[in-house]
Amino acid sequence: MDAFNNREVASALWIIVFACYVFFGSKFEGARKSFKDLVSAFFARQIISILILMSAYMTLVIYVMYGAGLWNVGQIKNTLYWAGSVGLMSIFKLETIKKDNNYFSQLAFGSLKIFAIIQFIVGIYTFPLWVELLIVPVFVLIGGMSVIADKVGRYSQVKNLFNSMLIIFSLAVIINAFYMIVFHWGEFANESTVYDFIVPALLTLFYIPFLFVLKIYIVYESAFIKIKFLIKNKKVRLLAKIYSVLFFNFRTAQFDRWIKCLSIDKVNSHQELVKSFKHISKMNRLDNGVCEVPISEGWSPYIAKDFLTDEGFITGFYSKSYGNEWSASSPMMKLGNEILPDNIAYYVEGVEGIAKKLKLSLNINDSSRAILSRKKFMETAGVLIQKSLNMNITDATKHALLCGESHYELYENKAVSVAVNLWPRHKSGGHDMKFTVAND
């Protein structure tokens, strides 16, 4: 295979043209200044240190792969592509990696998925250069317009048109690639092709341990900064850092939970520090155990927080929030792809060991989307009623949720309420709704 195929050459030429237009055009002075600021930020000491460590680690990995016959000099281009895409981009996704427990498994198996294999095959065989020079900007333009139409939300028909065009172009590229494979099998079925496919996958696989250690380091580094303000006693603060590393090690979720507890229950002595670790151990046992709660008192919070898991609402730990009050909550679920979408969140509130209130909150940022958002809200509320009370939602409650009206109703010994709060002077008619199931 050539060092650079026609698609890569065409993409490079268009990037050069665009860069010259931006850097020398009189209309892009602001963009040039922003780019300089971005470059300056990129060369910050922390980022450079991480990149040096990454380069040293991956150089060692490549050396070992070379010795094992899994890498050769013909893979320099693929290795550089991998470093600029997976390697570099993962560094800038560290905040996402910290929160996403499935990131590493998705990264490991992503290169083996059917879509990734098709991408690999499509990248081998390309059209003549003049065709690629036409295709590349068309793909970029249509793809960009599709994203914009999707974000705005009002242009669903335009988005469908752009998506259809992308599908047609993509099918043409895929058909061309498979045609070339069938009629030029000898060029495809060789050792070089095998290396081209397995080397990026292996680099990604061996890169995961580095990312994992980097994630752990960043989690502890940021948390230790918080500890500096949460624990005033220097000796206790030092012991807190040592104990936390020994106690939690790689369990970053538990470590974050402990840090949150420190902000609620102040620690100023060694005895209080030990007590904070015992408290975390106790909460872990409660999370993993079966805690029966009479329905007349409420619900087991460790069961209630998972009532809406199948609907996509994943709550955090049920923990003390302030005073004697405990709670768990899910992140906001976005309803749509608009720039400022409507969203729903699920909350469990109560005391230690008992959940007394289950709540759904809907924020409608644009009244033109209210009907669809309220419908989703009503469906989710129906699931919550079924899971928490083993009953079906009544028509009166459905009506209130769909019409955005306040409502109160008793379901045996539980109070079910709908509250509506209009946002004063909101230009898009924004408002929020609360759906609550609680002890009467």
Side-chain angles (χ1 to χ4, degrees):
M1 265 182 259
D2 297 331
F4 297 98
N5 61 40
N6 289 337
R7 189 162 301 140
E8 292 165 345
V9 172
S11 298
L13 289 174
W14 277 112
I15 289 173
I16 292 171
V17 170
F18 179 75
C20 290
Y21 179 64
V22 171
F23 282 108
F24 298 106
S26 59
K27 299 179 180 179
F28 294 96
E29 185 176 350
R32 289 194 291 271
K33 185 179 183 302
S34 299
F35 180 76
K36 289 179 181 178
D37 294 339
L38 179 63
V39 171
S40 299
F42 181 82
F43 284 99
R45 181 178 60 84
Q46 294 89 341
I47 296 178
I48 293 299
S49 299
I50 292 174
L51 292 178
I52 290 173
L53 288 173
M54 182 194 90
S55 301
Y57 173 79
M58 292 310 299
T59 298
L60 178 61
V61 167
I62 291 169
Y63 177 77
V64 173
M65 288 175 60
Y66 178 77
L70 298 174
W71 190 92
N72 58 39
V73 293
Q75 292 303 306
I76 292 177
K77 183 190 77 171
N78 287 334
T79 303
L80 292 175
Y81 278 170
W82 176 91
S85 55
V86 176
L88 191 60
M89 290 301 103
S90 296
I91 297 297
F92 295 103
K93 288 182 179 179
L94 284 174
E95 282 302 316
T96 301
I97 295 173
K98 283 167 59 177
K99 300 173 183 177
D100 188 355
N101 294 326
N102 298 320
Y103 181 84
F104 293 118
S105 59
Q106 292 171 354
L107 185 64
F109 294 106
S111 57
L112 301 178
K113 292 180 180 178
I114 296 297
F115 181 70
I117 295 172
I118 292 175
Q119 280 185 312
F120 168 75
I121 293 172
V122 166
I124 293 177
Y125 291 107
T126 60
F127 294 106
L129 181 58
W130 69 270
V131 177
E132 293 291 343
L133 286 170
L134 295 175
I135 288 178
V136 168
V138 170
F139 260 104
V140 172
L141 181 62
I142 294 176
M145 294 300 291
S146 176
V147 170
I148 293 172
D150 191 35
K151 289 292 183 184
V152 172
R154 294 192 297 269
Y155 306 118
S156 58
Q157 292 181 336
V158 177
K159 183 191 75 171
N160 293 335
L161 173 62
F162 284 136
N163 287 344
S164 299
M165 293 171 67
L166 280 175
I167 291 172
I168 293 171
F169 278 116
S170 299
L171 286 174
V173 173
I174 293 171
I175 291 171
N176 173 69
F178 279 96
Y179 172 84
M180 295 296 292
I181 289 174
V182 171
F183 290 96
H184 299 83
W185 178 253
E187 295 180 10
F188 177 78
N190 56 51
E191 185 181 80
S192 176
T193 304
V194 176
Y195 272 106
D196 288 341
F197 181 72
I198 68 169
V199 164
L202 289 174
L203 289 174
T204 299
L205 185 64
F206 293 135
Y207 185 50
I208 289 176
F210 175 82
L211 278 181
F212 180 74
V213 172
L214 184 61
K215 168 193 170 181
I216 299 298
Y217 173 79
I218 290 175
V219 167
Y220 276 92
E221 182 187 42
S222 60
F224 285 169
I225 294 173
K226 295 178 183 178
I227 288 177
K228 182 178 180 180
F229 297 98
L230 294 173
I231 302 177
K232 303 301 181 182
N233 188 299
K234 290 184 178 180
K235 183 179 178 181
V236 176
R237 189 192 309 152
L238 177 60
L239 289 173
K241 293 178 181 179
I242 296 172
Y243 289 174
S244 63
V245 173
L246 295 175
F247 187 81
F248 297 110
N249 45 72
F250 300 131
R251 297 176 299 158
T252 54
Q254 297 295 331
F255 179 60
D256 286 337
R257 188 179 193 180
W258 175 69
I259 293 293
K260 291 176 181 177
C261 288
L262 289 183
S263 62
I264 299 169
D265 296 323
K266 301 302 179 183
V267 171
N268 292 304
S269 67
H270 182 263
Q271 184 178 2
E272 291 173 339
L273 178 62
V274 173
K275 184 179 177 181
S276 70
F277 287 107
K278 290 181 178 179
H279 179 65
I280 290 295
S281 297
K282 177 184 177 180
M283 289 197 293
N284 289 338
R285 289 194 299 271
L286 290 172
D287 282 344
N288 298 323
V290 178
C291 179
E292 294 292 338
V293 174
I295 190 64
S296 59
E297 296 182 20
W299 303 266
S300 166
Y302 311 103
I303 297 174
K305 71 186 186 68
D306 295 329
F307 278 160
L308 299 179
T309 298
D310 292 340
E311 308 304 308
F313 296 91
I314 311 299
T315 67
F317 295 112
Y318 185 72
S319 305
K320 183 187 289 187
S321 50
Y322 57 89
N324 294 322
E325 298 187 11
W326 289 53
S327 64
S329 62
S330 74
M332 291 286 186
M333 175 187 285
K334 296 180 180 179
L335 305 180
N337 298 311
E338 293 81 10
I339 297 174
L340 193 62
D342 300 344
N343 50 65
I344 302 176
Y346 174 49
Y347 302 87
V348 178
E349 300 173 356
V351 296
E352 183 177 355
I354 302 176
K356 294 184 174 293
K357 181 189 292 185
L358 312 178
K359 183 171 69 177
L360 284 169
S361 177
L362 167 67
N363 293 316
I364 297 179
N365 293 299
D366 189 334
S367 59
S368 65
R369 304 189 297 258
I371 294 177
L372 290 176
S373 296
R374 288 174 188 161
K375 182 180 179 183
K376 173 64 177 178
F377 193 53
M378 183 270 293
E379 293 170 352
T380 308
V383 174
L384 183 59
I385 288 287
Q386 181 63 45
K387 291 289 184 69
S388 62
L389 304 179
N390 197 27
M391 298 172 65
N392 293 323
I393 189 170
T394 65
D395 290 337
T397 304
K398 283 183 180 180
H399 176 80
L401 291 167
L402 289 174
C403 297
E405 298 174 355
S406 296
H407 178 69
Y408 180 88
E409 187 174 354
L410 285 177
Y411 284 60
E412 296 184 352
N413 68 327
K414 301 296 181 185
V416 174
S417 63
V418 179
V420 181
N421 176 43
L422 302 177
W423 300 344
R425 297 181 296 277
H426 193 274
K427 62 180 182 180
S428 299
H431 58 280
D432 60 76
M433 296 178 64
K434 301 288 190 296
F435 174 79
T436 305
V437 183
N439 286 338
D440 182 22

